[in-house]
PDB file of all heavy atoms in Angstrom:
ATOM      1  N   MET A  18      42.549 127.380  89.622  1.00  0.00           N
ATOM      2  CA  MET A  18      43.332 128.394  88.917  1.00  0.00           C
ATOM      3  C   MET A  18      44.517 128.842  89.770  1.00  0.00           C
ATOM      4  O   MET A  18      45.655 128.941  89.283  1.00  0.00           O
ATOM      5  CB  MET A  18      42.442 129.584  88.557  1.00  0.00           C
ATOM      6  CG  MET A  18      41.362 129.262  87.541  1.00  0.00           C
ATOM      7  SD  MET A  18      40.073 130.522  87.425  1.00  0.00           S
ATOM      8  CE  MET A  18      40.974 131.839  86.620  1.00  0.00           C
ATOM      9  N   ALA A  19      44.262 129.106  91.042  1.00  0.00           N
ATOM     10  CA  ALA A  19      45.339 129.511  91.950  1.00  0.00           C
ATOM     11  C   ALA A  19      46.371 128.404  92.100  1.00  0.00           C
ATOM     12  O   ALA A  19      47.579 128.652  92.191  1.00  0.00           O
ATOM     13  CB  ALA A  19      44.748 129.888  93.310  1.00  0.00           C
ATOM     14  N   ASP A  20      45.888 127.170  92.122  1.00  0.00           N
ATOM     15  CA  ASP A  20      46.737 125.977  92.187  1.00  0.00           C
ATOM     16  C   ASP A  20      47.756 125.993  91.046  1.00  0.00           C
ATOM     17  O   ASP A  20      48.974 125.799  91.245  1.00  0.00           O
ATOM     18  CB  ASP A  20      45.799 124.772  92.115  1.00  0.00           C
ATOM     19  CG  ASP A  20      46.458 123.409  92.033  1.00  0.00           C
ATOM     20  OD1 ASP A  20      47.536 123.290  91.453  1.00  0.00           O
ATOM     21  OD2 ASP A  20      45.843 122.442  92.531  1.00  0.00           O
ATOM     22  N   ALA A  21      47.289 126.231  89.819  1.00  0.00           N
ATOM     23  CA  ALA A  21      48.191 126.232  88.656  1.00  0.00           C
ATOM     24  C   ALA A  21      49.218 127.344  88.744  1.00  0.00           C
ATOM     25  O   ALA A  21      50.381 127.165  88.339  1.00  0.00           O
ATOM     26  CB  ALA A  21      47.379 126.374  87.369  1.00  0.00           C
ATOM     27  N   ILE A  22      48.830 128.493  89.269  1.00  0.00           N
ATOM     28  CA  ILE A  22      49.770 129.609  89.399  1.00  0.00           C
ATOM     29  C   ILE A  22      50.941 129.214  90.303  1.00  0.00           C
ATOM     30  O   ILE A  22      52.106 129.502  90.008  1.00  0.00           O
ATOM     31  CB  ILE A  22      49.039 130.858  89.933  1.00  0.00           C
ATOM     32  CG1 ILE A  22      48.107 131.411  88.846  1.00  0.00           C
ATOM     33  CG2 ILE A  22      50.025 131.934  90.390  1.00  0.00           C
ATOM     34  CD1 ILE A  22      47.121 132.446  89.349  1.00  0.00           C
ATOM     35  N   SER A  23      50.639 128.533  91.406  1.00  0.00           N
ATOM     36  CA  SER A  23      51.704 128.077  92.295  1.00  0.00           C
ATOM     37  C   SER A  23      52.578 127.031  91.623  1.00  0.00           C
ATOM     38  O   SER A  23      53.811 127.085  91.682  1.00  0.00           O
ATOM     39  CB  SER A  23      51.109 127.496  93.585  1.00  0.00           C
ATOM     40  OG  SER A  23      50.531 128.495  94.389  1.00  0.00           O
ATOM     41  N   ARG A  24      51.953 126.051  90.983  1.00  0.00           N
ATOM     42  CA  ARG A  24      52.720 124.964  90.365  1.00  0.00           C
ATOM     43  C   ARG A  24      53.684 125.482  89.298  1.00  0.00           C
ATOM     44  O   ARG A  24      54.846 125.072  89.241  1.00  0.00           O
ATOM     45  CB  ARG A  24      51.770 123.968  89.697  1.00  0.00           C
ATOM     46  CG  ARG A  24      50.962 123.094  90.614  1.00  0.00           C
ATOM     47  CD  ARG A  24      50.266 122.066  89.747  1.00  0.00           C
ATOM     48  NE  ARG A  24      49.170 121.411  90.413  1.00  0.00           N
ATOM     49  CZ  ARG A  24      49.013 120.091  90.452  1.00  0.00           C
ATOM     50  NH1 ARG A  24      49.920 119.308  89.896  1.00  0.00           N
ATOM     51  NH2 ARG A  24      47.976 119.548  91.037  1.00  0.00           N
ATOM     52  N   LEU A  25      53.158 126.356  88.424  1.00  0.00           N
ATOM     53  CA  LEU A  25      53.936 126.741  87.252  1.00  0.00           C
ATOM     54  C   LEU A  25      55.002 127.787  87.563  1.00  0.00           C
ATOM     55  O   LEU A  25      55.736 128.197  86.662  1.00  0.00           O
ATOM     56  CB  LEU A  25      53.003 127.231  86.151  1.00  0.00           C
ATOM     57  CG  LEU A  25      52.075 126.138  85.597  1.00  0.00           C
ATOM     58  CD1 LEU A  25      51.133 126.712  84.556  1.00  0.00           C
ATOM     59  CD2 LEU A  25      52.888 124.986  84.995  1.00  0.00           C
ATOM     60  N   SER A  26      55.092 128.207  88.810  1.00  0.00           N
ATOM     61  CA  SER A  26      56.205 129.067  89.227  1.00  0.00           C
ATOM     62  C   SER A  26      57.127 128.325  90.180  1.00  0.00           C
ATOM     63  O   SER A  26      57.998 128.928  90.789  1.00  0.00           O
ATOM     64  CB  SER A  26      55.653 130.322  89.927  1.00  0.00           C
ATOM     65  OG  SER A  26      55.022 129.966  91.148  1.00  0.00           O
ATOM     66  N   SER A  27      56.927 127.002  90.297  1.00  0.00           N
ATOM     67  CA  SER A  27      57.677 126.196  91.279  1.00  0.00           C
ATOM     68  C   SER A  27      57.517 126.759  92.684  1.00  0.00           C
ATOM     69  O   SER A  27      58.430 126.708  93.502  1.00  0.00           O
ATOM     70  CB  SER A  27      59.165 126.112  90.898  1.00  0.00           C
ATOM     71  OG  SER A  27      59.335 125.532  89.622  1.00  0.00           O
ATOM     72  N   GLY A  28      56.350 127.311  92.958  1.00  0.00           N
ATOM     73  CA  GLY A  28      56.067 127.856  94.277  1.00  0.00           C
ATOM     74  C   GLY A  28      56.645 129.228  94.532  1.00  0.00           C
ATOM     75  O   GLY A  28      56.514 129.756  95.639  1.00  0.00           O
ATOM     76  N   ARG A  29      57.273 129.838  93.533  1.00  0.00           N
ATOM     77  CA  ARG A  29      57.821 131.199  93.721  1.00  0.00           C
ATOM     78  C   ARG A  29      56.703 132.231  93.787  1.00  0.00           C
ATOM     79  O   ARG A  29      56.828 133.231  94.486  1.00  0.00           O
ATOM     80  CB  ARG A  29      58.780 131.555  92.594  1.00  0.00           C
ATOM     81  CG  ARG A  29      60.243 131.135  92.794  1.00  0.00           C
ATOM     82  CD  ARG A  29      60.420 129.652  92.944  1.00  0.00           C
ATOM     83  NE  ARG A  29      61.835 129.258  92.883  1.00  0.00           N
ATOM     84  CZ  ARG A  29      62.247 128.005  93.002  1.00  0.00           C
ATOM     85  NH1 ARG A  29      61.378 127.038  93.200  1.00  0.00           N
ATOM     86  NH2 ARG A  29      63.534 127.717  92.931  1.00  0.00           N
ATOM     87  N   ARG A  30      55.636 132.028  93.028  1.00  0.00           N
ATOM     88  CA  ARG A  30      54.445 132.865  93.118  1.00  0.00           C
ATOM     89  C   ARG A  30      53.357 132.022  93.776  1.00  0.00           C
ATOM     90  O   ARG A  30      53.063 130.925  93.303  1.00  0.00           O
ATOM     91  CB  ARG A  30      53.975 133.310  91.733  1.00  0.00           C
ATOM     92  CG  ARG A  30      54.894 134.279  91.029  1.00  0.00           C
ATOM     93  CD  ARG A  30      54.380 134.556  89.615  1.00  0.00           C
ATOM     94  NE  ARG A  30      53.049 135.153  89.609  1.00  0.00           N
ATOM     95  CZ  ARG A  30      52.289 135.251  88.522  1.00  0.00           C
ATOM     96  NH1 ARG A  30      52.717 134.764  87.354  1.00  0.00           N
ATOM     97  NH2 ARG A  30      51.093 135.829  88.583  1.00  0.00           N
ATOM     98  N   ILE A  31      52.778 132.518  94.826  1.00  0.00           N
ATOM     99  CA  ILE A  31      51.776 131.755  95.547  1.00  0.00           C
ATOM    100  C   ILE A  31      50.379 132.100  95.035  1.00  0.00           C
ATOM    101  O   ILE A  31      49.971 133.266  95.016  1.00  0.00           O
ATOM    102  CB  ILE A  31      51.864 132.025  97.067  1.00  0.00           C
ATOM    103  CG1 ILE A  31      53.239 131.612  97.602  1.00  0.00           C
ATOM    104  CG2 ILE A  31      50.744 131.303  97.811  1.00  0.00           C
ATOM    105  CD1 ILE A  31      53.555 130.144  97.471  1.00  0.00           C
ATOM    106  N   GLY A  32      49.650 131.072  94.610  1.00  0.00           N
ATOM    107  CA  GLY A  32      48.261 131.273  94.224  1.00  0.00           C
ATOM    108  C   GLY A  32      47.410 131.555  95.448  1.00  0.00           C
ATOM    109  O   GLY A  32      47.611 130.964  96.514  1.00  0.00           O
ATOM    110  N   VAL A  33      46.450 132.470  95.296  1.00  0.00           N
ATOM    111  CA  VAL A  33      45.612 132.904  96.413  1.00  0.00           C
ATOM    112  C   VAL A  33      44.143 132.803  96.007  1.00  0.00           C
ATOM    113  O   VAL A  33      43.772 133.187  94.888  1.00  0.00           O
ATOM    114  CB  VAL A  33      45.937 134.359  96.827  1.00  0.00           C
ATOM    115  CG1 VAL A  33      45.100 134.758  98.041  1.00  0.00           C
ATOM    116  CG2 VAL A  33      47.423 134.528  97.113  1.00  0.00           C
ATOM    117  N   PHE A  34      43.318 132.303  96.925  1.00  0.00           N
ATOM    118  CA  PHE A  34      41.875 132.250  96.677  1.00  0.00           C
ATOM    119  C   PHE A  34      41.139 132.768  97.897  1.00  0.00           C
ATOM    120  O   PHE A  34      41.462 132.438  99.035  1.00  0.00           O
ATOM    121  CB  PHE A  34      41.415 130.828  96.375  1.00  0.00           C
ATOM    122  CG  PHE A  34      39.940 130.754  96.041  1.00  0.00           C
ATOM    123  CD1 PHE A  34      39.505 131.105  94.780  1.00  0.00           C
ATOM    124  CD2 PHE A  34      39.017 130.380  96.994  1.00  0.00           C
ATOM    125  CE1 PHE A  34      38.158 131.079  94.467  1.00  0.00           C
ATOM    126  CE2 PHE A  34      37.665 130.342  96.691  1.00  0.00           C
ATOM    127  CZ  PHE A  34      37.230 130.700  95.423  1.00  0.00           C
ATOM    128  N   ALA A  35      40.108 133.599  97.652  1.00  0.00           N
ATOM    129  CA  ALA A  35      39.297 134.179  98.725  1.00  0.00           C
ATOM    130  C   ALA A  35      37.820 133.922  98.437  1.00  0.00           C
ATOM    131  O   ALA A  35      37.370 134.046  97.296  1.00  0.00           O
ATOM    132  CB  ALA A  35      39.555 135.683  98.838  1.00  0.00           C
ATOM    133  N   MET A  36      37.061 133.576  99.490  1.00  0.00           N
ATOM    134  CA  MET A  36      35.646 133.259  99.302  1.00  0.00           C
ATOM    135  C   MET A  36      34.830 133.708 100.508  1.00  0.00           C
ATOM    136  O   MET A  36      35.379 134.045 101.561  1.00  0.00           O
ATOM    137  CB  MET A  36      35.439 131.769  99.044  1.00  0.00           C
ATOM    138  CG  MET A  36      35.815 130.841 100.179  1.00  0.00           C
ATOM    139  SD  MET A  36      37.608 130.668 100.413  1.00  0.00           S
ATOM    140  CE  MET A  36      37.673 129.012 101.131  1.00  0.00           C
ATOM    141  N   GLN A  37      33.522 133.681 100.340  1.00  0.00           N
ATOM    142  CA  GLN A  37      32.627 134.131 101.399  1.00  0.00           C
ATOM    143  C   GLN A  37      32.520 133.080 102.499  1.00  0.00           C
ATOM    144  O   GLN A  37      32.884 131.919 102.310  1.00  0.00           O
ATOM    145  CB  GLN A  37      31.247 134.437 100.832  1.00  0.00           C
ATOM    146  CG  GLN A  37      30.499 133.216 100.291  1.00  0.00           C
ATOM    147  CD  GLN A  37      29.095 133.545  99.854  1.00  0.00           C
ATOM    148  OE1 GLN A  37      28.353 134.206 100.564  1.00  0.00           O
ATOM    149  NE2 GLN A  37      28.716 133.077  98.672  1.00  0.00           N
ATOM    150  N   LEU A  38      32.005 133.503 103.625  1.00  0.00           N
ATOM    151  CA  LEU A  38      31.810 132.583 104.736  1.00  0.00           C
ATOM    152  C   LEU A  38      30.646 131.640 104.434  1.00  0.00           C
ATOM    153  O   LEU A  38      29.884 131.835 103.482  1.00  0.00           O
ATOM    154  CB  LEU A  38      31.557 133.342 106.045  1.00  0.00           C
ATOM    155  CG  LEU A  38      30.393 134.341 106.121  1.00  0.00           C
ATOM    156  CD1 LEU A  38      29.053 133.669 106.330  1.00  0.00           C
ATOM    157  CD2 LEU A  38      30.651 135.351 107.237  1.00  0.00           C
ATOM    158  N   GLY A  39      30.513 130.602 105.219  1.00  0.00           N
ATOM    159  CA  GLY A  39      29.401 129.677 105.072  1.00  0.00           C
ATOM    160  C   GLY A  39      29.459 128.882 103.788  1.00  0.00           C
ATOM    161  O   GLY A  39      30.428 128.155 103.548  1.00  0.00           O
ATOM    162  N   PRO A  40      28.458 128.997 102.909  1.00  0.00           N
ATOM    163  CA  PRO A  40      28.386 128.134 101.731  1.00  0.00           C
ATOM    164  C   PRO A  40      29.573 128.269 100.788  1.00  0.00           C
ATOM    165  O   PRO A  40      29.988 127.293 100.167  1.00  0.00           O
ATOM    166  CB  PRO A  40      27.082 128.567 101.048  1.00  0.00           C
ATOM    167  CG  PRO A  40      26.755 129.901 101.622  1.00  0.00           C
ATOM    168  CD  PRO A  40      27.292 129.884 103.014  1.00  0.00           C
ATOM    169  N   GLY A  41      30.120 129.473 100.639  1.00  0.00           N
ATOM    170  CA  GLY A  41      31.282 129.634  99.766  1.00  0.00           C
ATOM    171  C   GLY A  41      32.465 128.836 100.254  1.00  0.00           C
ATOM    172  O   GLY A  41      33.205 128.223  99.470  1.00  0.00           O
ATOM    173  N   THR A  42      32.650 128.822 101.567  1.00  0.00           N
ATOM    174  CA  THR A  42      33.748 128.047 102.149  1.00  0.00           C
ATOM    175  C   THR A  42      33.460 126.557 102.045  1.00  0.00           C
ATOM    176  O   THR A  42      34.349 125.762 101.710  1.00  0.00           O
ATOM    177  CB  THR A  42      33.952 128.466 103.619  1.00  0.00           C
ATOM    178  OG1 THR A  42      34.153 129.877 103.671  1.00  0.00           O
ATOM    179  CG2 THR A  42      35.161 127.792 104.213  1.00  0.00           C
ATOM    180  N   GLU A  43      32.229 126.185 102.284  1.00  0.00           N
ATOM    181  CA  GLU A  43      31.852 124.770 102.169  1.00  0.00           C
ATOM    182  C   GLU A  43      32.071 124.265 100.745  1.00  0.00           C
ATOM    183  O   GLU A  43      32.569 123.154 100.537  1.00  0.00           O
ATOM    184  CB  GLU A  43      30.396 124.600 102.580  1.00  0.00           C
ATOM    185  CG  GLU A  43      30.129 124.900 104.052  1.00  0.00           C
ATOM    186  CD  GLU A  43      28.660 125.144 104.342  1.00  0.00           C
ATOM    187  OE1 GLU A  43      27.814 124.641 103.569  1.00  0.00           O
ATOM    188  OE2 GLU A  43      28.350 125.833 105.332  1.00  0.00           O
ATOM    189  N   ASN A  44      31.691 125.082  99.749  1.00  0.00           N
ATOM    190  CA  ASN A  44      31.858 124.680  98.347  1.00  0.00           C
ATOM    191  C   ASN A  44      33.319 124.537  97.948  1.00  0.00           C
ATOM    192  O   ASN A  44      33.632 123.914  96.933  1.00  0.00           O
ATOM    193  CB  ASN A  44      31.206 125.716  97.426  1.00  0.00           C
ATOM    194  CG  ASN A  44      29.703 125.662  97.451  1.00  0.00           C
ATOM    195  OD1 ASN A  44      29.119 124.693  97.912  1.00  0.00           O
ATOM    196  ND2 ASN A  44      29.066 126.713  96.962  1.00  0.00           N
ATOM    197  N   SER A  45      34.213 125.119  98.724  1.00  0.00           N
ATOM    198  CA  SER A  45      35.634 125.127  98.383  1.00  0.00           C
ATOM    199  C   SER A  45      36.365 123.869  98.811  1.00  0.00           C
ATOM    200  O   SER A  45      37.525 123.663  98.433  1.00  0.00           O
ATOM    201  CB  SER A  45      36.314 126.339  99.034  1.00  0.00           C
ATOM    202  OG  SER A  45      35.715 127.544  98.628  1.00  0.00           O
ATOM    203  N   TYR A  46      35.712 123.051  99.595  1.00  0.00           N
ATOM    204  CA  TYR A  46      36.407 121.931 100.233  1.00  0.00           C
ATOM    205  C   TYR A  46      37.113 121.015  99.228  1.00  0.00           C
ATOM    206  O   TYR A  46      38.275 120.666  99.402  1.00  0.00           O
ATOM    207  CB  TYR A  46      35.406 121.115 101.066  1.00  0.00           C
ATOM    208  CG  TYR A  46      36.059 120.158 102.036  1.00  0.00           C
ATOM    209  CD1 TYR A  46      36.261 120.514 103.359  1.00  0.00           C
ATOM    210  CD2 TYR A  46      36.473 118.897 101.632  1.00  0.00           C
ATOM    211  CE1 TYR A  46      36.853 119.648 104.260  1.00  0.00           C
ATOM    212  CE2 TYR A  46      37.064 118.015 102.512  1.00  0.00           C
ATOM    213  CZ  TYR A  46      37.259 118.388 103.831  1.00  0.00           C
ATOM    214  OH  TYR A  46      37.864 117.520 104.713  1.00  0.00           O
ATOM    215  N   GLY A  47      36.409 120.651  98.137  1.00  0.00           N
ATOM    216  CA  GLY A  47      36.994 119.725  97.170  1.00  0.00           C
ATOM    217  C   GLY A  47      38.247 120.264  96.507  1.00  0.00           C
ATOM    218  O   GLY A  47      39.221 119.526  96.301  1.00  0.00           O
ATOM    219  N   GLY A  48      38.255 121.552  96.167  1.00  0.00           N
ATOM    220  CA  GLY A  48      39.431 122.144  95.525  1.00  0.00           C
ATOM    221  C   GLY A  48      40.619 122.190  96.455  1.00  0.00           C
ATOM    222  O   GLY A  48      41.767 121.947  96.045  1.00  0.00           O
ATOM    223  N   ILE A  49      40.368 122.500  97.727  1.00  0.00           N
ATOM    224  CA  ILE A  49      41.459 122.545  98.710  1.00  0.00           C
ATOM    225  C   ILE A  49      41.981 121.138  98.953  1.00  0.00           C
ATOM    226  O   ILE A  49      43.201 120.913  99.039  1.00  0.00           O
ATOM    227  CB  ILE A  49      40.974 123.201 100.017  1.00  0.00           C
ATOM    228  CG1 ILE A  49      40.550 124.648  99.749  1.00  0.00           C
ATOM    229  CG2 ILE A  49      42.071 123.168 101.080  1.00  0.00           C
ATOM    230  CD1 ILE A  49      39.800 125.296 100.910  1.00  0.00           C
ATOM    231  N   ALA A  50      41.076 120.164  99.054  1.00  0.00           N
ATOM    232  CA  ALA A  50      41.489 118.773  99.243  1.00  0.00           C
ATOM    233  C   ALA A  50      42.339 118.291  98.071  1.00  0.00           C
ATOM    234  O   ALA A  50      43.319 117.556  98.256  1.00  0.00           O
ATOM    235  CB  ALA A  50      40.263 117.881  99.408  1.00  0.00           C
ATOM    236  N   GLN A  51      41.989 118.707  96.852  1.00  0.00           N
ATOM    237  CA  GLN A  51      42.781 118.326  95.682  1.00  0.00           C
ATOM    238  C   GLN A  51      44.190 118.901  95.783  1.00  0.00           C
ATOM    239  O   GLN A  51      45.176 118.201  95.552  1.00  0.00           O
ATOM    240  CB  GLN A  51      42.109 118.827  94.407  1.00  0.00           C
ATOM    241  CG  GLN A  51      42.840 118.473  93.129  1.00  0.00           C
ATOM    242  CD  GLN A  51      42.605 117.040  92.704  1.00  0.00           C
ATOM    243  OE1 GLN A  51      41.462 116.618  92.527  1.00  0.00           O
ATOM    244  NE2 GLN A  51      43.667 116.282  92.521  1.00  0.00           N
ATOM    245  N   ALA A  52      44.298 120.179  96.123  1.00  0.00           N
ATOM    246  CA  ALA A  52      45.613 120.803  96.262  1.00  0.00           C
ATOM    247  C   ALA A  52      46.421 120.131  97.370  1.00  0.00           C
ATOM    248  O   ALA A  52      47.642 119.962  97.256  1.00  0.00           O
ATOM    249  CB  ALA A  52      45.463 122.298  96.548  1.00  0.00           C
ATOM    250  N   TYR A  53      45.761 119.731  98.442  1.00  0.00           N
ATOM    251  CA  TYR A  53      46.448 119.042  99.531  1.00  0.00           C
ATOM    252  C   TYR A  53      47.004 117.700  99.061  1.00  0.00           C
ATOM    253  O   TYR A  53      48.158 117.350  99.358  1.00  0.00           O
ATOM    254  CB  TYR A  53      45.488 118.830 100.700  1.00  0.00           C
ATOM    255  CG  TYR A  53      46.111 118.148 101.891  1.00  0.00           C
ATOM    256  CD1 TYR A  53      47.013 118.821 102.711  1.00  0.00           C
ATOM    257  CD2 TYR A  53      45.794 116.832 102.205  1.00  0.00           C
ATOM    258  CE1 TYR A  53      47.590 118.193 103.805  1.00  0.00           C
ATOM    259  CE2 TYR A  53      46.360 116.192 103.288  1.00  0.00           C
ATOM    260  CZ  TYR A  53      47.261 116.877 104.100  1.00  0.00           C
ATOM    261  OH  TYR A  53      47.832 116.245 105.175  1.00  0.00           O
TER     262      TYR A  53
END
């Protein structure tokens, strides 16, 4: 969702995502890799 916010503003609005330490961060890996 944050990814789309950045894309559709041509990077003028930065999408932001926040998550818990440990498993929440581990679960986030695929989404961050996709954005990369």
Side-chain angles (χ1 to χ4, degrees):
M18 294 166 71
D20 174 328
I22 289 167
S23 290
R24 288 188 197 230
L25 294 177
S26 66
S27 301
R29 273 61 169 179
R30 292 175 61 193
I31 299 297
V33 183
F34 183 79
M36 64 287 208
Q37 66 175 313
L38 57 79
T42 305
E43 294 162 25
N44 287 344
S45 302
Y46 195 96
I49 298 169
Q51 181 79 56
Y53 181 73

